[in-house]
Amino acid sequence: MTYPGIDEIDYKQRLEAAKKLHEAFNKTIEELMRGKSPKLIIPKRTLSNTIYDPERKLLLLGPAKLKRSFTDVNEAKRFMQTVLMARILYESLLNNEYPTIRDLYYRGKYSITYMDLRDRRKKSENTWEEQKESDAAIRDIEVFTGLLREDMLVLSKEKGKLVGRIKLRSGGDVIDASKMGHGAYALESTPDLIDILEVDAEYVLVVEKDAVFQQLHRIKFWDKHKAILITSAGQPDRATRRFVRRLNEEFGLPVYILTDADPYGWYIYSVFKVGSITLSYESERLATPQARFIGVMMTDILTKEEMRNVLARMKNLRKRNLEDILNILRNKPYIDSKERRNVIIKAKEADIKRAEQLKGYTWFKSFRWRLELEAFLRYKIKVEIEALASKGLRFLAEKYIPEKIETGDCID
Amino acid sequence: MTYPGIDEIDYKQRLEAAKKLHEAFNKTIEELMRGKSPKLIIPKRTLSNTIYDPERKLLLLGPAKLKRSFTDVNEAKRFMQTVLMARILYESLLNNEYPTIRDLYYRGKYSITYMDLRDRRKKSENTWEEQKESDAAIRDIEVFTGLLREDMLVLSKEKGKLVGRIKLRSGGDVIDASKMGHGAYALESTPDLIDILEVDAEYVLVVEKDAVFQQLHRIKFWDKHKAILITSAGQPDRATRRFVRRLNEEFGLPVYILTDADPYGWYIYSVFKVGSITLSYESERLATPQARFIGVMMTDILTKEEMRNVLARMKNLRKRNLEDILNILRNKPYIDSKERRNVIIKAKEADIKRAEQLKGYTWFKSFRWRLELEAFLRYKIKVEIEALASKGLRFLAEKYIPEKIETGDCID
Amino acid sequence: MSSGGESIEKFRSLSPAEFFYRNREIAGFSNPSRALYQTVRELVENSLDACDNHGILPTVRITVFPENTKENHYRVTVSDNGIGIPPRYVPQAFGKVLFGSKYKLRQTRGTFGLGAKMAILYGQITTGKPVEVRTSPKGSQYSYFFKIMIDIEKNEPIVMERRIMKRKSKRHGTTVSVVVEGDWSRARSRILEYIKRTAMGVPYATITIITPEKEAYKYSRVIRKMPPPPREVKPHPRGVDIEMLKAIIASTKSSTLKDMLKNAFQSIGKKSAEILLEEAGIDPNKDPRKLTLDEITALVSSMRKYNKYRPPRTDALSPLGKDIIEAGLKGVLKPEFAYAVTRKPSSYSGHPFIVEVGVAYGGEVPLSPDKGPILYRFANKIPLLYDEGSDVCWKVVSDANFNWRQYNVKLPDRIAVLVHICSTKIPYKGVGKESIADVPEIEREVRNAVKEAARHLRLYLSKKIRAEEEKRKIMTLVKYVPEVARSLSILSKPPASDGNPVDYESIKSVLMKIIERRARKIDGLNIDLRELIIDVG
Amino acid sequence: MSSGGESIEKFRSLSPAEFFYRNREIAGFSNPSRALYQTVRELVENSLDACDNHGILPTVRITVFPENTKENHYRVTVSDNGIGIPPRYVPQAFGKVLFGSKYKLRQTRGTFGLGAKMAILYGQITTGKPVEVRTSPKGSQYSYFFKIMIDIEKNEPIVMERRIMKRKSKRHGTTVSVVVEGDWSRARSRILEYIKRTAMGVPYATITIITPEKEAYKYSRVIRKMPPPPREVKPHPRGVDIEMLKAIIASTKSSTLKDMLKNAFQSIGKKSAEILLEEAGIDPNKDPRKLTLDEITALVSSMRKYNKYRPPRTDALSPLGKDIIEAGLKGVLKPEFAYAVTRKPSSYSGHPFIVEVGVAYGGEVPLSPDKGPILYRFANKIPLLYDEGSDVCWKVVSDANFNWRQYNVKLPDRIAVLVHICSTKIPYKGVGKESIADVPEIEREVRNAVKEAARHLRLYLSKKIRAEEEKRKIMTLVKYVPEVARSLSILSKPPASDGNPVDYESIKSVLMKIIERRARKIDGLNIDLRELIIDVG
């Protein structure tokens, strides 16, 4: 522990995480030494045990647990993989390492050699073949111990970038994200170790696409509109999600998400807002239930005639909903039907399947979301953010985004 | 031109680029108005017209030109696409836009309607179907006018990040890349518009993988070793390549490239060093002929016995080469054969094909590169940077990289 | 002689009727469904032969009625307007296996003198009912009615009833009625498909079938042109064998070999007879009856090897002809192109044959399988429905063996091939008459015929493609004019607004002139190209 | 009688020899290659019948020699050690079509009395050479030699030479030699494959073939057990038809119907005769000769519907038996598992038949196609080589129709099925004897036999799987013990080194005890599990 790069904050975090790991497994060891078959009681990470909490507006793990017993032949290998991964993580913490999940995969991978009962021949089997397996073991340990990987100083590839009127302290440095020139501040893997010093902004605008982020940055959108501009560059990584959450939670900033109008974009919004369906245990710290979807919306480009067709598909409409519609459509469509022909993309079979799935999720069952999804399913078309650029960058920056924020044409 | 975001430098660049575009096409227009069938004489971007210049150590376009004549039915559509793209770029420049290549695709895409001679019916055809086509048109204009897309203020997704003892001026801000905390400085799309103010480093280390970059940064590798640390996060984008080139050219910093030991990693090195084979016209400004490959090398992990097998495959070895070998192998292998079993990955058919291809390129014909490629082809295995992490992060930071730089165990 | 062994074989002889009674499967009477189909088929083909072999436009009516529902007995009745049967021959024609009118060198549908008798035999075995025949021979004033059974052991008819009636009308023809055990529900689609294809090959006939459900399907005559009726001819020398030559020697009245060859064979004249005998090393004036077996063998050998005969006479054959085939294809398939070929006669093993092939392409022709075109096979005007895969015609036309790409056809495509083989003897693979054997001479003729038809198809297709191609080229240029003119016009305006921009209309006009210069070279193109442009909005 | 019409048909009769001479394709003599194969086959099958039908272990020798290379004439000679032929029957047996010893209710290889005569006929037509027969009947002191040709028009033999020789040895048997036009190079692989498969089905025979290249292929006898020779039997009533009953009535000596039924049929006793006649509403004591046609029809109907007969007698049949089939499969295919089934006799259309099925799995059995197992078909001990796709056996065993997965077999796999059908009459689809028709009774028996054999295969496979499974489970636990022990040991040590770590060996020991507790429940597992562990390095 004499390496010069070790900083105080990281070191404290290490000790705490190692202690939790040790305690979690020590119970199993004690039971084993009393002759009981060893087992781990782990919250189930299955879809059926993923529950949407409408109060907190979050996807959370339900109460179901699974018993991973070493003597159950169907579970034996995963039991072995779980304790193996716990050991490697424990060793990394104690040795001041900053492993990536790929590192952990390599460190744990080796050939188990044994004599086969059936033919008395030496055989061997790898602890795991693919990173998929070691990743699953990491997730099991996360839910088993309540420690997220960042808490165990596991680093990962980070794509999130940031500009705007905000000052941070990280690793001893003070960073002013309003002084990044045409470049941006790239976020670190452990956003909980960042100190947010000062925020002089009215909202956070999260842009799915890096190039659009750069365009808005280039014309200093954030400066004129007092915004913090963040890009996830596609599917958001954990650090970006956690950082957005902190801005919302700790500074009360509204969060607007700008993605393509397609199931992939909607899912990115959904991950920011309620969490990932397959990794719901992270949501409690990573999701931002207050985040709102600002666009691109199907309703931005459909004509009034088309919207009538969509409404005809929807049942149980209340009168208030219809008034909402009139309100929504006041400034629309933003793109006329001739422009539209060249910017819409035909939905693929997979998109439609994905949209049907989204329809089933509670948080997509609000009137406004039903409108989007039904419109998509009726016309089977997608629209990218860049499609708005066919009207010029200024349209996006000076009309589309400000108007939507002003009139509240966002979807919760 | 009254938008507040416009800065001086960008504006100057716009005017210059627009003038070049106009001039390039105006010749064709003048000829046309004299009744000549319109045509564009464009340097050929084909593989056969891509030439490796061993003097400058660069891939360059050769002297061959293609005549794109509007009246040649096989070329008519591409002629139309080329002038269409030139027009959109011209308009963007004049309107102070910062388009992306996706934007340009959308702006140029529309349905041409016409009456068909054969059945006298109205038909329509899109100017282009896929971005592939509009991208090709951009490249044609780049070689035709000598303007790179950045010169025309076209923005693109940027993945490159930077930390280290270097100060820059961009868009009016001064950025100190040694004060980025655990985060990093994300590069902009137009690196030629950056002012490099101050450099206090001895070399540049380019890391293929973002997570490895973060690990090295986390332990402040760049501080201890006086390095500028850059990641391309996979295949390098144009801005990262241009920035690395500037550091080498303008400040004389040695550049070391760290990638996986596989054809994909080698190709990344090759793109940094001599340029992309399919886009060789960019090399003149984007490539860094002085860059050197630091690892991971096949020779890092092969035993002396295995190296002998590899040598047996190579013809025309001189005595000096053999001495080189002994020198190279002094500290090796870094990974013993037992560790190795778990970190090597079996090469796929596509990898082997790719390696066979690399073997044919002049800049891979040096003794050291032949050694790497023959070793790969003999044992058909790949090694990732993370494989070294199975020996701990400190091994990579404190032994592997410094030792290689010190002993000069890099490949040119 | 012989022999006190404990297990001596007993030997005896078998009548043809008994042989086929025991082995009815080989004639297609293997189960009630197949037997019902085969019964209809045999009777219909006999009826058609009784008409068109004698220049009569056929009118055939078929009924299949339930006779005893409990036992699944059906009465199949087929009536025709054919020439009729001389009453003295009726008992044997329907009650003696291997007796008939078809054992000669002339193309007929039936060949084995067996089909109708097998139906009668099968009916007799399964239902015990006799066949009923009513015939009114052409030119006679009487109608004759018979009920006949077969004495199987003796292969002789048993006439159970015989009546003669004075006839008022001049209508002639024959009605045959048998009762057989059958399975209509499984045979239905087979039988109806058979009738449909038969009608396709004989568009000059009117055919009606009435089913047990009392549904009537009628195919009316669409043309009145008929193929000329076949005539009986002498054998062709190329197909001679030792046995045939011995039979000719036994019955010849000629006193010299030379004369015998000239009289007994077609296509042999004085000169060729002499050449043949010289080749065989035999004196042309030798008495045929004095030939040794070795001499006969030598003569057969030289006759089979000689290759300068005139082609076999076609009188014995009755090809459909180009017109009828093309009309049939066009009428049924409604293609955009149809072409038919009737090859010159050829022969195998002494049997003359003619191959005819029609090709239909495009239009409403259904999409073919990947492996080859849709194939309609006919043999002596009979449609062949089953065992397509083992037929020599499939072997020729399937994509594996025929280079369709070379003819601009990439399978699957809308293409159908009709092959009609007519011969005094069709070499079927089995008595079921569903597929034709791989006889090299026939295979070669079919291939040449398909090639010839396919060449005409290729010609048609490539002409069509060329004309389209020229027009396409002009269109390619014209449609891009508006965008090119607009873009160049905008690019012509310098950024710092000095200089001399060129307007859209001027550029467009120059471009159109350039294209018109080019279009003038194409003949038949007489239109103002400007009309094709729709300006950019 | 009749008639002045201008186009009257000429009628005449045809001899069976002439019929088959004209239609030789239907018996498989369609071209020189096929004809040569068919010639070998017909002669070999006659030879085997002459031996094993009479309890003689067969020794058969075949030679195919070039006779006239220029004309492609081959001499095919087949010798056997069979019972021989009484000399008075030889001329007709080889010179008269539809004459032979096989027209009775007894299983033989040849069925039509046609095969050898077709070869002779074909040889005579193509080469003009007579057949040569040398026979030494069992028990006789003489050998007889004949040269015979066929008078085709009369269907009568012409004996060209006849010799008698006093014999010294007791060796008996027959040698037949014919000269035919053939194509050896194309027939070669067919003929050799046929001989190989024949030897597979008749492992108690020694068969030798010598080819034109003077290569000898010899298959020696591998067992001396033989199936019992078949005997002639009375017909079974379930397969009666009207024609058969009429023939029996015509020749019966019984004075009452009841007696006649008892005497003329197998499986009918006093009681069942009475029931049958009561069902038909006929007086049991009536004189058979006084039955009306309607009564005959009624009696046939009741005989066919009655379902309580004893099964047909097996005396007429000669199944190979379980032992011979399994020995054959094991010897040739070397499988890990083989099982054979001989079904009880059954009948169709009055012909008794027995189905036998063998299944071979694993070992050196070649990989089957996706669509079904490898199929070896035999009919009355004859291997069937061609037209597999249209055979009822393929219909049964192909994956489309048989649920192999249900028997733990997922195709393709190393699986072969042998089907042997023996019957007094095999219902071939054609005279070429290559595939068996879809007779429902046979299809059902084949399916049941395959199911029965497949059930035994499933039993074998599932036992094998279960035992492996238990051991696998124990191994699954044991192999992970070292890593689990190491990891838990390391995790047991607190980070701030107070607390009480547990060492590797202790954890390992506890884990092994837990596993041993479990393993003790498995029987037959008697080993120290610790020996299986290789500790972590």
Side-chain angles (χ1 to χ4, degrees), chain A residues 98 102-103 106 109-110 156 158 161 170 180 182 184-186 190 214-215 218 342 384 393, chain B residues 97-98 102-103 106 109-110 156 158 161 170 180 182 184-186 190 214-215 218 342 384 393:
Chain A
Y98 293 93
R102 186 86 179 147
D103 290 339
Y106 276 120
K109 184 182 176 193
Y110 71 92
S156 56
E158 290 306 330
K161 299 185 203 172
S170 165
M180 290 288 143
H182 296 151
Y185 183 62
T190 50
Q214 287 200 58
Q215 288 180 305
R218 197 78 174 203
N342 303 310
E384 292 186 294
L393 176 55
Chain B
E97 299 271 359
Y98 292 93
R102 186 79 178 153
D103 291 338
Y106 276 119
K109 185 181 176 193
Y110 71 92
S156 55
E158 289 305 331
K161 298 185 204 174
S170 164
M180 290 288 142
H182 296 150
Y185 183 63
T190 48
Q214 286 199 58
Q215 289 179 304
R218 198 78 175 204
N342 304 309
E384 292 186 296
L393 177 54

Coordinates of all heavy atoms in Angstrom, one line a residue, chain A residues 98 102-103 106 109-110 156 158 161 170 180 182 184-186 190 214-215 218 342 384 393, chain B residues 97-98 102-103 106 109-110 156 158 161 170 180 182 184-186 190 214-215 218 342 384 393:
Chain A
Y98 N -7.3 -1.8 -9.5 CA -8.5 -1.2 -10.1 C -8.9 -2.1 -11.3 O -8.7 -1.8 -12.4 CB -8.2 0.2 -10.6 CG -7.9 1.2 -9.5 CD1 -6.6 1.5 -9.1 CD2 -9.0 1.9 -8.9 CE1 -6.4 2.5 -8.2 CE2 -8.8 2.8 -7.9 CZ -7.5 3.1 -7.6 OH -7.2 4.0 -6.6
R102 N -13.3 -7.2 -17.5 CA -12.6 -8.1 -18.3 C -11.4 -8.7 -17.5 O -11.0 -9.9 -17.7 CB -12.1 -7.3 -19.5 CG -11.4 -8.2 -20.6 CD -12.4 -8.8 -21.5 NE -11.8 -9.6 -22.6 CZ -12.3 -10.6 -23.1 NH1 -13.5 -11.0 -22.7 NH2 -11.8 -11.3 -24.1
D103 N -10.7 -7.8 -16.7 CA -9.6 -8.3 -15.9 C -10.1 -9.4 -15.0 O -9.4 -10.5 -14.8 CB -9.1 -7.2 -15.0 CG -8.4 -6.1 -15.7 OD1 -7.9 -6.4 -16.8 OD2 -8.2 -5.0 -15.2
Y106 N -10.4 -12.6 -16.7 CA -9.1 -13.3 -16.9 C -8.5 -13.9 -15.6 O -8.0 -14.9 -15.6 CB -8.1 -12.3 -17.5 CG -8.2 -12.2 -19.0 CD1 -8.5 -11.0 -19.6 CD2 -8.0 -13.3 -19.8 CE1 -8.6 -10.9 -21.0 CE2 -8.1 -13.2 -21.2 CZ -8.4 -12.0 -21.8 OH -8.4 -11.9 -23.1
K109 N -10.2 -17.1 -14.7 CA -10.3 -18.1 -15.7 C -9.1 -19.1 -15.6 O -8.0 -18.6 -15.7 CB -10.4 -17.6 -17.1 CG -10.6 -18.6 -18.2 CD -10.6 -18.0 -19.5 CE -10.7 -19.1 -20.6 NZ -10.5 -18.6 -21.9
Y110 N -9.4 -20.3 -15.3 CA -8.3 -21.3 -15.4 C -8.9 -22.7 -15.6 O -10.2 -22.8 -15.5 CB -7.4 -21.3 -14.2 CG -8.0 -21.8 -12.9 CD1 -7.9 -23.1 -12.5 CD2 -8.7 -20.9 -12.0 CE1 -8.4 -23.6 -11.3 CE2 -9.2 -21.4 -10.9 CZ -9.1 -22.7 -10.5 OH -9.7 -23.2 -9.4
S156 N -14.7 0.7 -15.5 CA -15.2 0.2 -16.8 C -15.1 1.3 -17.8 O -14.9 2.4 -17.5 CB -16.7 -0.2 -16.6 OG -17.4 0.8 -16.1
E158 N -16.0 4.1 -20.1 CA -17.0 5.2 -19.8 C -17.1 6.1 -21.0 O -16.1 6.5 -21.6 CB -16.5 6.1 -18.6 CG -16.6 5.3 -17.3 CD -18.0 4.8 -17.0 OE1 -19.0 5.3 -17.5 OE2 -18.1 3.7 -16.3
K161 N -20.0 12.2 -21.4 CA -19.3 13.5 -21.4 C -20.2 14.6 -20.9 O -21.5 14.4 -21.0 CB -18.9 13.8 -22.8 CG -18.0 12.9 -23.5 CD -17.6 13.5 -24.9 CE -17.2 12.5 -25.8 NZ -17.1 13.0 -27.2
S170 N -12.7 16.1 -8.2 CA -12.4 14.7 -8.4 C -11.0 14.4 -8.3 O -10.1 15.2 -8.8 CB -12.9 14.3 -9.9 OG -12.4 13.0 -10.2
M180 N -14.3 24.0 -21.1 CA -13.8 22.9 -21.8 C -13.5 23.2 -23.3 O -13.3 22.2 -24.1 CB -14.8 21.7 -21.7 CG -14.8 21.1 -20.3 SD -13.3 20.2 -19.9 CE -13.1 20.7 -18.1
H182 N -14.0 23.5 -27.1 CA -14.9 22.7 -28.0 C -15.0 21.3 -27.5 O -15.8 20.5 -28.0 CB -14.5 22.8 -29.4 CG -14.6 24.1 -30.0 ND1 -13.8 24.5 -31.1 CD2 -15.4 25.2 -29.8 CE1 -14.0 25.8 -31.4 NE2 -15.0 26.2 -30.6
A184 N -14.9 18.3 -24.1 CA -15.8 18.1 -23.0 C -15.1 17.4 -21.9 O -14.0 16.9 -22.0 CB -17.0 17.3 -23.5
Y185 N -15.8 17.3 -20.7 CA -15.3 16.6 -19.6 C -15.8 15.1 -19.6 O -17.0 14.9 -19.7 CB -15.6 17.2 -18.3 CG -15.0 16.5 -17.1 CD1 -13.6 16.5 -16.9 CD2 -15.8 15.9 -16.1 CE1 -13.0 15.8 -15.9 CE2 -15.2 15.2 -15.0 CZ -13.8 15.2 -14.9 OH -13.2 14.5 -13.9
A186 N -14.8 14.2 -19.7 CA -15.2 12.8 -19.7 C -15.4 12.3 -18.3 O -14.4 12.4 -17.5 CB -14.2 12.0 -20.5
T190 N -16.3 6.0 -11.2 CA -16.8 6.0 -9.8 C -17.4 7.4 -9.4 O -16.8 8.1 -8.7 CB -15.6 5.7 -8.8 OG1 -14.5 6.5 -9.1 CG2 -15.2 4.3 -9.0
Q214 N -22.2 17.4 -29.5 CA -21.1 18.3 -30.0 C -21.7 19.5 -30.8 O -21.2 20.6 -30.6 CB -20.2 17.5 -30.9 CG -19.3 16.6 -30.2 CD -18.1 16.3 -31.0 OE1 -17.3 17.2 -31.4 NE2 -17.9 15.0 -31.2
Q215 N -22.7 19.2 -31.6 CA -23.3 20.4 -32.3 C -23.9 21.4 -31.3 O -23.6 22.6 -31.5 CB -24.4 19.8 -33.2 CG -24.0 19.1 -34.4 CD -25.1 18.6 -35.2 OE1 -26.0 17.9 -34.7 NE2 -25.1 18.9 -36.5
R218 N -21.1 23.2 -29.6 CA -20.3 24.1 -30.5 C -21.0 25.4 -30.6 O -20.3 26.4 -30.7 CB -20.3 23.4 -31.9 CG -19.3 24.0 -32.8 CD -17.9 23.4 -32.4 NE -16.9 23.9 -33.4 CZ -15.7 23.2 -33.6 NH1 -15.5 22.2 -32.9 NH2 -14.9 23.7 -34.4
N342 N -38.5 12.0 -46.5 CA -37.1 11.7 -46.6 C -36.4 11.4 -45.3 O -35.2 11.0 -45.2 CB -36.3 12.8 -47.3 CG -36.9 13.0 -48.7 OD1 -37.1 12.1 -49.4 ND2 -37.3 14.3 -48.9
E384 N -35.0 9.9 -36.5 CA -33.8 10.2 -35.7 C -33.7 11.7 -35.3 O -34.4 12.5 -36.0 CB -32.6 9.8 -36.5 CG -32.5 8.3 -36.8 CD -31.2 8.0 -37.5 OE1 -31.0 8.4 -38.6 OE2 -30.3 7.3 -36.8
L393 N -29.6 23.3 -37.7 CA -29.2 23.2 -36.3 C -30.0 24.2 -35.4 O -30.4 23.9 -34.3 CB -27.7 23.3 -36.2 CG -27.1 23.3 -34.8 CD1 -27.5 22.0 -34.0 CD2 -25.6 23.4 -34.9
Chain B
E97 N -23.8 26.3 -40.2 CA -24.2 25.0 -39.6 C -23.0 24.2 -39.2 O -21.9 24.3 -39.8 CB -25.1 24.2 -40.6 CG -26.3 24.9 -41.1 CD -27.5 24.6 -40.2 OE1 -27.3 23.8 -39.2 OE2 -28.6 25.2 -40.4
Y98 N -23.2 23.3 -38.3 CA -22.2 22.3 -38.0 C -22.8 20.9 -38.2 O -23.2 20.2 -37.3 CB -21.8 22.3 -36.5 CG -21.1 23.6 -36.1 CD1 -21.7 24.7 -35.6 CD2 -19.7 23.7 -36.2 CE1 -21.1 25.9 -35.3 CE2 -19.0 24.8 -35.9 CZ -19.7 25.9 -35.4 OH -19.0 27.1 -35.1
R102 N -24.4 12.2 -40.7 CA -25.8 11.7 -40.7 C -26.7 12.8 -41.2 O -27.7 12.6 -41.9 CB -26.1 11.2 -39.3 CG -27.5 10.5 -39.2 CD -27.4 9.1 -39.7 NE -28.7 8.4 -39.5 CZ -29.0 7.4 -40.3 NH1 -28.2 7.0 -41.2 NH2 -30.2 6.7 -40.1
D103 N -26.5 14.0 -40.7 CA -27.3 15.2 -41.1 C -27.2 15.4 -42.6 O -28.2 15.6 -43.3 CB -26.7 16.5 -40.5 CG -27.0 16.6 -39.0 OD1 -27.8 15.9 -38.5 OD2 -26.2 17.4 -38.3
Y106 N -29.4 13.0 -44.4 CA -30.8 13.4 -44.4 C -31.1 14.6 -45.3 O -32.1 14.6 -46.0 CB -31.2 13.7 -42.9 CG -31.6 12.5 -42.1 CD1 -30.9 12.2 -41.0 CD2 -32.7 11.7 -42.5 CE1 -31.3 11.1 -40.2 CE2 -33.0 10.6 -41.8 CZ -32.3 10.3 -40.6 OH -32.7 9.2 -39.9
K109 N -31.2 13.6 -48.9 CA -32.1 12.5 -49.3 C -33.5 12.9 -49.6 O -34.2 13.6 -48.8 CB -32.2 11.5 -48.1 CG -33.0 10.2 -48.5 CD -33.1 9.2 -47.4 CE -34.0 8.1 -47.7 NZ -34.4 7.3 -46.6
Y110 N -33.9 12.7 -50.9 CA -35.3 13.0 -51.2 C -35.6 12.1 -52.5 O -34.7 11.5 -53.1 CB -35.5 14.5 -51.5 CG -34.9 15.0 -52.7 CD1 -35.6 15.1 -53.9 CD2 -33.6 15.5 -52.7 CE1 -35.0 15.6 -55.1 CE2 -33.0 16.0 -53.8 CZ -33.7 16.0 -55.0 OH -33.1 16.5 -56.2
S156 N -18.3 15.1 -35.9 CA -18.6 13.6 -35.9 C -18.5 13.2 -34.4 O -17.9 13.9 -33.6 CB -17.7 12.8 -36.8 OG -16.4 13.1 -36.5
E158 N -17.0 11.7 -31.3 CA -15.6 11.6 -30.9 C -15.5 10.8 -29.7 O -16.2 11.0 -28.7 CB -15.1 13.0 -30.7 CG -14.9 13.8 -32.0 CD -14.1 13.1 -33.0 OE1 -13.2 12.4 -32.7 OE2 -14.3 13.4 -34.2
K161 N -10.0 10.6 -25.7 CA -9.8 11.2 -24.4 C -8.4 11.4 -24.1 O -7.5 10.7 -24.6 CB -10.4 10.4 -23.3 CG -11.9 10.1 -23.3 CD -12.3 9.4 -22.0 CE -13.5 8.6 -22.2 NZ -13.8 7.8 -21.0
S170 N -8.9 26.0 -26.6 CA -9.9 25.6 -27.5 C -11.1 26.5 -27.3 O -11.5 26.7 -26.1 CB -10.3 24.1 -27.3 OG -11.5 23.8 -27.9
M180 N -7.7 16.9 -14.4 CA -9.0 16.3 -14.8 C -9.5 15.4 -13.7 O -10.5 14.7 -14.0 CB -8.8 15.6 -16.1 CG -8.6 16.6 -17.3 SD -10.2 17.5 -17.6 CE -9.5 19.1 -18.0
H182 N -10.3 12.2 -11.7 CA -10.4 10.8 -12.2 C -11.0 10.8 -13.6 O -11.0 9.7 -14.3 CB -11.2 9.9 -11.3 CG -10.5 9.7 -10.0 ND1 -11.3 9.5 -8.8 CD2 -9.3 9.8 -9.5 CE1 -10.5 9.4 -7.8 NE2 -9.2 9.5 -8.2
A184 N -11.5 12.8 -17.6 CA -10.5 13.1 -18.7 C -11.0 14.1 -19.6 O -12.2 14.5 -19.5 CB -10.2 11.8 -19.5
Y185 N -10.2 14.7 -20.5 CA -10.6 15.7 -21.4 C -11.0 15.0 -22.7 O -10.2 14.2 -23.3 CB -9.5 16.7 -21.7 CG -9.9 17.8 -22.6 CD1 -11.0 18.7 -22.2 CD2 -9.4 18.0 -23.8 CE1 -11.4 19.7 -23.1 CE2 -9.8 19.0 -24.7 CZ -10.8 19.8 -24.3 OH -11.3 20.8 -25.1
A186 N -12.2 15.2 -23.1 CA -12.7 14.6 -24.3 C -12.4 15.5 -25.5 O -12.8 16.7 -25.5 CB -14.2 14.3 -24.2
T190 N -12.7 19.0 -34.3 CA -11.8 19.8 -35.2 C -10.5 20.2 -34.5 O -10.3 21.3 -34.1 CB -12.5 21.2 -35.6 OG1 -13.0 21.7 -34.3 CG2 -13.7 20.9 -36.5
Q214 N -8.3 4.2 -18.2 CA -8.8 4.7 -16.9 C -7.9 4.1 -15.7 O -7.7 4.7 -14.7 CB -10.2 4.3 -16.7 CG -11.1 5.1 -17.5 CD -12.6 5.0 -16.9 OE1 -12.8 5.3 -15.8 NE2 -13.5 4.6 -17.8
Q215 N -7.5 2.8 -15.9 CA -6.7 2.2 -14.8 C -5.4 2.9 -14.7 O -5.0 3.3 -13.6 CB -6.5 0.7 -15.2 CG -7.7 -0.2 -15.0 CD -7.4 -1.6 -15.4 OE1 -6.9 -1.9 -16.5 NE2 -7.7 -2.5 -14.5
R218 N -5.9 6.3 -13.2 CA -6.3 6.2 -11.8 C -5.1 6.2 -10.8 O -5.1 6.7 -9.7 CB -7.2 5.0 -11.5 CG -8.0 5.0 -10.3 CD -9.2 5.8 -10.4 NE -10.0 5.8 -9.3 CZ -11.3 6.0 -9.3 NH1 -11.9 6.4 -10.4 NH2 -12.0 6.0 -8.2
N342 N -4.8 -19.6 -19.6 CA -6.1 -19.0 -19.3 C -6.3 -17.6 -20.0 O -7.3 -17.1 -20.0 CB -6.2 -18.8 -17.8 CG -6.1 -20.2 -17.2 OD1 -6.7 -21.2 -17.6 ND2 -5.2 -20.3 -16.2
E384 N -5.0 -10.3 -25.1 CA -5.5 -8.9 -24.8 C -4.7 -8.2 -23.8 O -3.9 -8.8 -23.0 CB -7.0 -9.0 -24.3 CG -7.9 -9.5 -25.3 CD -9.4 -9.5 -24.8 OE1 -9.7 -10.2 -23.8 OE2 -10.2 -8.7 -25.3
L393 N -2.2 -4.8 -12.0 CA -2.1 -3.5 -12.7 C -0.7 -2.9 -12.5 O -0.1 -2.3 -13.4 CB -3.1 -2.5 -12.0 CG -3.1 -1.1 -12.6 CD1 -3.3 -1.1 -14.1 CD2 -4.3 -0.3 -11.9

